Amino acid sequence: MLWLGRIGANPVAVLSGRQHGYQSGAVDGMKLPLRVLKELGCAVLVQTNAAGSLRLDLPAQSLMLLSDHINVAQRSPLVGEGGSERFVSMVDAYDPALRAQAREIAARRGITLYQGVYAWAFGPQFETPAEIRMFRQLGADAVGMSTVPETILARRASLRVLALSLITNMGAGLSNEHLSHAHTLSQAQAVSAVASGLLADIIGNIDALPQYPTA
Ligand code: HPA
């Protein structure tokens, strides 16, 4: 579902879901939606996800801005495209200026907003404790099953990206909690009010008016 509206100063287009790589094995399921957003004139893609923490000082129910990602799956939605534009730079894929704005707004609201590196695990199974140890050693702070393909597509389309992880659990083996989808949903629900208030404030104040199509 595509919702069109306005948050604060900014017109917004909201997708009420996304396709994940683990649903079919294909990682280009968000190609058309991203193209639609681009054609609508969107200049910024704001993403949210649920993620497991890889750091003992990043507890469940906290919020983490993505500063970077590790494409552990080494899959790309750009495979099969032609032209030199497919060789997209992924440096500063998560826009530094938008992150700074988001952190400023969170600080004003008294919300702790962590920042870290997100590792994309393909899923849908959760990780093994050995995989979690590996991700930690690779330099990741959180792990999840989404977001990275959309970031690649957005950067390919020159959209600026901001992404927020709702930390729903400690990675496998880092705590005694039993991981399940129900647990993820209930933990995400527990932080959703804080997260959505913060997001509305961030989106409403993003200093990046879209370029409207002229025709
Ligand atoms: N691993 C992968 N994806 C996730 C997790 C996790 O621990 N928690 C929420 N999404």
Side-chain angles (χ1 to χ4, degrees), residues 50-53 118 121 125-127 132 143-145 166 168-172 179 184:
S53 170
Y118 174 93
Q125 74 287 346
F126 286 105
E127 297 71 36
I132 292 295
V143 58
M145 306 175 194
L166 279 56
T168 54
N169 56 278
M170 299 307 293
L179 298 184
T184 300

Side-chain angles (χ1 to χ4, degrees), residues 193-208:
V194 173
S196 57
L198 176 63
L199 273 176
D201 212 359
I202 292 170
I203 294 167
N205 288 291
I206 276 178
D207 188 13

